[in-house]
């Protein structure tokens, strides 16, 4: 009974971590668009390259935050959650 | 003398490597853990564990302190040395950055921005020496982010508490809970951004190293014993990835943390109200 | 368990890292920004002093140049004046000389003329005497008697005068 519960729990954690990382879509698309726009801007105004690059990196870093949130959640689910959940299950059963 | 200071600046890194070799047990396989705890001091609220990240950030501070002394040793007005050129370049470029992002009112922030850049970049670059990067400990980055949050709130309060409270009801009063939440989300997002980037980089580095070790074992399995366990692919190839994950990402995250600090502090500061209030106070003083 | 979890929050560690950043800020302000700012300000002031010195020197040089130019101008004027004076003097002198020489030449000519006149008169007188002698001898011969010179003097003289005039 306990083994089955632990197995389901571990599987749930791994699945959850994988699903959490789907959020990587958003930053990927957003950063791709940002870089495309930056490339266009540099093509139009090559003299503003350094300013555009700095701003683009800033924007990319900010856009990356959501992806990093999901990454942190995934890390929690893989490395931290199983131990806690196993303890809770052992106490419950 | 200047060489002695440079040696003193490099000594903490050597000391860090020594501490790591002597006191931190080596880990096998894919193990993602936090910093190693040397010992724990008993304090309320969970005690104070002295960890690798704490020790490493202290080492970074000592190293940067001696580096500053090294740069500013024996400054001259004529026939300046390379050290002085570097020191002046650092000061001038940070001044320029602060001026273009925050304006003249916040010129006192230049050393603070330099401190953020220095400690963050140096902590992330510690991985090049095989040390634990202090920035992949959430506590370290959270401390910086909370300090930045204090600064933001302090400069928002400069124009009086009423203006500060009123800024939450913009654009309409209904948005107040969301504004409060976004106010407190700032340190979280800043710390998680930095921490997540460095940690993801180190996890990917661990995965690459482990995967390359397995690959070299698989390729060299037909050789006799001492050669087959020789992990040939782990030489050099992880360094290519570490150029991105450690050097580029570390420096970029330091720069972004500094930029966000500047933008949040100067963006939250209600300049118009502050100067109005200051003028009013001065007028009152004159009238009295 | 001798290691922290991947994510573990500890309030003391947060406070320590906050203090670390503040300490590093103070270190940078005291040991990097202050000395560099001081030395840059010092160099700027030195450079400004040098500039001031250079401007001063240039101004002085310009003044000197202007005064020299003025002096040169006056010297030129003086030289012109001197030349003019000299020319005038020379003109005057040459005129005087010319006048004197003309005078001299005229006096010489006059003298010469006077001499010539005298010579002519002398010659006339001699000729007249000779003619008188000759004519008296001829007349004695022709007339056969002695002519009284004193008696006929007037007659002969008028004759000779007429002859000389012709």
């Amino acid at each position: 009974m306990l083994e089955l519960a632990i197995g389901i729990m571990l599987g749930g954690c791994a699945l959850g971590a994988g699903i959490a990382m789907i959020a990587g879509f958003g930053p990927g698309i957003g950063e791709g668009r940002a870089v495309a726009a930056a490339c266009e801007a540099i093509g139009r105004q090559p003299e503003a390259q350094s300013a555009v690059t700095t701003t683009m990196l800033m924007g990319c870093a900010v856009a990356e935050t959501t992806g990093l949130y999901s990454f942190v959640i995934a890390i929690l689910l893989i490395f931290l959650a199983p131990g806690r959940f196993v303890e809770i299950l052992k106490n419950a059963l | 003398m200047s060489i002695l200071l440079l040696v003193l600046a490099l000594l903490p890194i050597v000391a860090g490597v020594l501490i790591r070799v002597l006191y931190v047990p080596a880990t096998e396989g894919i193990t993602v853990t936090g910093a190693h705890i040397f010992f724990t001091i008993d304090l309320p609220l969970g005690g104070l564990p002295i960890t690798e990240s704490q020790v490493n950030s202290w080492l970074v501070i000592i190293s940067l302190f001696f580096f500053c002394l090294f740069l500013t040793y024996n400054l001259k007005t004529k026939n300046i040395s390379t050290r002085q050129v570097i020191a002046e370049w650092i000061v001038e470029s940070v001044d320029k950055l602060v001026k273009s992002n925050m304006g003249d009112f916040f010129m006192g922030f230049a050393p603070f921005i330099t401190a953020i850049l220095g400690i963050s970049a140096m902590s992330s670059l510690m991985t090049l020496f095989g040390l634990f990067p202090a920035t992949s400990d959430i506590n370290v980055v959270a401390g910086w982010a909370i300090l930045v949050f204090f600064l933001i709130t302090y400069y928002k309060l400069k124009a009086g508490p009423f203006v500060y409270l009123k800024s939450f009801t913009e654009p309409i009063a209904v948005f107040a809970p969301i504004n409060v939440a976004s106010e407190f989300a700032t340190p979280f997002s800043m710390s998680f951004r930095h921490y997540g980037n460095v940690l993801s980089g180190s996890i990917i580095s661990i995965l690459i190293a482990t995967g390359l070790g397995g690959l070299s074992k698989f390729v060299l399995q037909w050789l006799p014993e001492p050669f087959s366990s020789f992990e040939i692919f782990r030489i050099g190839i992880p360094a290519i990835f570490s150029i991105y994950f450690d050097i580029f990402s570390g420096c970029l995250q330091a720069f972004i943390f500094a930029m966000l600090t500047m933008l949040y502090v100067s963006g939250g500061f209600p300049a118009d109200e502050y100067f109005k209030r200051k003028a009013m106070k001065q007028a009152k003083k004159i009238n009295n | 368990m001798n290691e922290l979890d991947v994510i573990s929050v500890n309030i003391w560690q947060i406070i320590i890292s906050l203090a670390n950043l503040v300490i590093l800020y103070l270190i940078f302000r005291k040991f990097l920004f202050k000395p560099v700012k001081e030395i840059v300000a010092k160099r700027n002031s030195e450079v400004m002093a040098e500039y001031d010195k250079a401007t001063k020197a240039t101004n002085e040089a310009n003044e000197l140049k202007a005064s020299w130019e003025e002096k040169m101008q006056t010297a030129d004027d003086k030289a012109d004046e001197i030349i003019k004076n000299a020319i005038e003097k020379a003109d005057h002198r040459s005129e005087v000389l010319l006048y004197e020489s003309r005078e001299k030449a005229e006096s010489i000519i006059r003298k010469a003329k006077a001499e010539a006149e005298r010579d002519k008169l002398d010659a006339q007188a001699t000729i007249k005497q000779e003619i008188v002698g000759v004519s008296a001898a001829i007349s004695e011969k022709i007339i056969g008697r002695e002519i009284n010179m004193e008696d006929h003097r007037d007659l002969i003289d008028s004759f000779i005068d007429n002859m000389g005039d012709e």
Side-chain angles (χ1 to χ4, degrees):
Chain A
M1 190 62 195
L2 187 64
E3 284 84 10
L4 184 65
I6 287 173
I8 290 172
M9 191 269 303
L10 284 176
C13 281
L15 261 178
I19 291 168
M21 284 317 287
I22 290 174
F25 260 118
I29 293 169
E31 278 176 38
R33 288 180 66 95
V35 174
C39 286
E40 250 174 58
I42 291 171
R44 215 176 296 132
Q45 268 179 300
E47 69 275 5
Q49 188 185 5
S50 63
V52 169
T53 311
T54 314
T55 317
M56 183 200 77
L57 283 174
M58 276 293 304
C60 280
V62 174
E64 221 172 57
T65 313
T66 51
L68 287 166
Y69 286 160
S70 76
F71 169 75
V72 170
I73 299 289
I75 290 281
L76 280 173
L77 279 172
I78 289 174
F79 293 107
L80 222 67
R84 297 278 161 85
F85 288 164
V86 167
E87 262 175 42
I88 291 166
L89 273 176
K90 272 180 183 166
N91 289 340
L93 291 172
Chain B
M1 186 65 195
S2 63
I3 300 224
L4 180 71
L5 286 171
L6 187 62
V7 169
L8 280 174
L10 291 176
L11 213 57
I13 294 164
V14 179
V17 174
L18 276 179
I19 288 168
R20 170 137 189 131
V21 169
L22 289 178
Y23 293 106
V24 181
T27 50
E28 280 292 322
I30 309 174
T31 48
V32 178
T33 55
H36 179 74
I37 302 171
F38 293 113
F39 52 88
T40 309
I41 297 168
D42 280 330
L43 281 173
L45 295 167
L48 167 59
I50 302 294
T51 63
E52 248 185 312
S53 55
Q54 305 289 325
V55 173
N56 281 356
S57 52
W58 288 331
L59 291 174
V60 166
I61 288 174
I62 295 166
S63 170
L64 285 174
F65 170 63
F66 282 116
F67 191 63
C68 283
L69 287 184
F70 164 70
L71 283 181
T72 57
Y73 171 72
N74 193 14
L75 292 177
K76 283 174 283 188
T77 52
K78 275 176 208 160
N79 300 327
I80 57 175
S81 54
T82 322
R83 287 182 295 116
Q84 194 177 342
V85 171
I86 292 168
E88 283 179 15
W89 175 77
I90 290 170
V91 170
E92 271 168 26
S93 47
V94 174
D95 269 355
K96 220 169 81 184
L97 192 70
V98 171
K99 201 171 183 176
S100 67
N101 283 309
M102 299 177 86
D104 285 327
F105 183 77
F106 289 103
M107 280 316 277
F109 264 74
F112 183 67
I113 299 301
T114 321
I116 287 177
L117 284 171
I119 197 168
S120 170
M122 279 290 286
S123 301
S124 301
L125 293 178
M126 287 292 239
T127 49
L128 292 180
F129 301 99
L131 298 173
F132 181 83
T135 41
S136 75
D137 188 335
I138 184 75
N139 295 309
V140 172
V141 193
W144 306 343
I146 286 169
L147 179 57
V148 171
F149 173 71
F150 285 159
L151 284 172
I152 295 168
T153 313
Y154 172 72
Y155 277 100
K156 275 191 173 177
L157 279 169
K158 272 219 152 184
F162 180 69
V163 176
Y164 176 66
L165 290 177
K166 203 185 153 203
S167 71
F168 285 114
T169 61
E170 280 169 0
I172 47 170
V174 184
F175 276 19
I178 298 169
N179 280 332
V180 172
S182 77
E183 191 73 19
F184 285 101
T186 305
F188 279 100
S189 84
M190 280 178 90
S191 55
F192 275 118
R193 178 178 303 121
H194 202 321
Y195 159 78
N197 266 297
V198 178
L199 183 68
S200 66
S202 60
I203 285 177
I204 291 167
S205 294
I206 290 169
L207 289 178
I208 286 169
T210 320
L212 286 171
L215 185 67
S216 59
K217 251 183 203 146
F218 176 72
V219 171
L220 299 177
Q221 60 185 341
W222 50 275
L223 281 171
E225 178 40 42
F227 300 106
S228 65
S229 61
F230 183 65
E231 291 168 338
I232 189 165
F233 290 121
R234 281 182 78 165
I235 303 168
I237 295 174
I240 299 165
F241 294 99
S242 106
I243 287 174
Y244 176 78
F245 286 116
D246 293 340
I247 299 177
F248 177 72
S249 183
C251 293
L252 186 67
Q253 288 309 315
F255 180 67
I256 284 161
F257 199 92
M259 282 295 275
L260 287 177
T261 304
M262 290 191 278
L263 294 179
Y264 280 137
V265 172
S266 66
F269 177 60
D272 296 342
E273 278 94 348
Y274 172 70
F275 288 118
K276 225 186 266 168
R277 194 179 144 99
K278 211 175 166 188
M280 258 164 67
K281 266 188 183 171
Q282 246 169 6
K284 241 184 211 170
K285 231 181 213 173
I286 289 164
N287 284 344
N288 285 349
Chain C
M1 186 72 180
N2 214 8
E3 278 171 6
L4 285 178
D5 288 326
V6 176
I7 297 183
S8 61
V9 179
N10 182 300
I11 191 78
W12 295 109
Q13 288 194 355
I14 290 175
I15 289 168
I16 282 178
S17 110
L18 195 153
N20 283 348
L21 190 57
V22 172
I23 289 166
L24 194 64
Y25 158 70
L26 293 175
I27 285 174
F28 271 121
R29 201 177 68 172
K30 181 96 174 51
F31 291 104
L32 183 66
F33 273 71
K34 215 177 112 204
V36 170
K37 285 259 163 87
E38 268 172 15
I39 205 79
V40 167
K42 203 170 151 196
R43 185 164 58 212
N44 275 356
S45 66
E46 267 179 26
V47 167
M48 286 317 286
E50 288 291 317
Y51 263 125
D52 283 353
K53 247 190 220 165
T55 341
K56 227 164 140 190
T58 318
N59 283 349
E60 266 173 19
N62 279 343
E63 267 171 32
L64 218 64
K65 199 181 156 198
S67 77
W68 276 112
E69 265 172 9
E70 208 172 301
K71 267 183 192 167
M72 288 291 278
Q73 194 62 43
T74 50
D76 274 358
D77 286 353
K78 239 178 201 167
D80 280 353
E81 207 173 304
I82 288 165
I83 289 167
K84 219 157 84 189
N85 283 349
I87 288 169
E88 257 172 33
K89 240 180 201 168
D91 275 358
H92 183 73
R93 192 108 170 247
S94 66
E95 248 166 50
V96 169
L97 277 176
L98 225 65
Y99 180 77
E100 275 178 3
S101 58
R102 204 174 291 147
E103 200 100 302
K104 233 178 195 168
E106 268 174 10
S107 75
I108 287 166
I109 290 166
R110 223 181 294 131
K111 242 185 208 164
K113 264 186 183 164
E115 231 162 77
E117 200 75 18
R118 216 172 37 242
D119 282 358
K120 195 178 159 188
L121 287 179
D122 279 358
Q124 271 179 353
T126 2
I127 291 166
K128 212 189 296 182
Q129 238 153 14
E130 272 177 23
I131 290 170
V132 168
V134 170
S135 51
I138 294 167
S139 320
E140 261 175 4
K141 283 268 177 65
I142 296 166
I143 300 163
R145 59 165 176 145
E146 230 171 268
I147 295 168
N148 192 357
M149 277 285 215
E150 274 76 40
D151 294 347
H152 301 99
R153 181 119 227 149
D154 292 336
L155 183 74
I156 293 160
D157 272 352
S158 65
F159 169 74
I160 287 169
D161 279 348
N162 287 346
M163 191 177 77
D165 285 348
E166 277 166 15

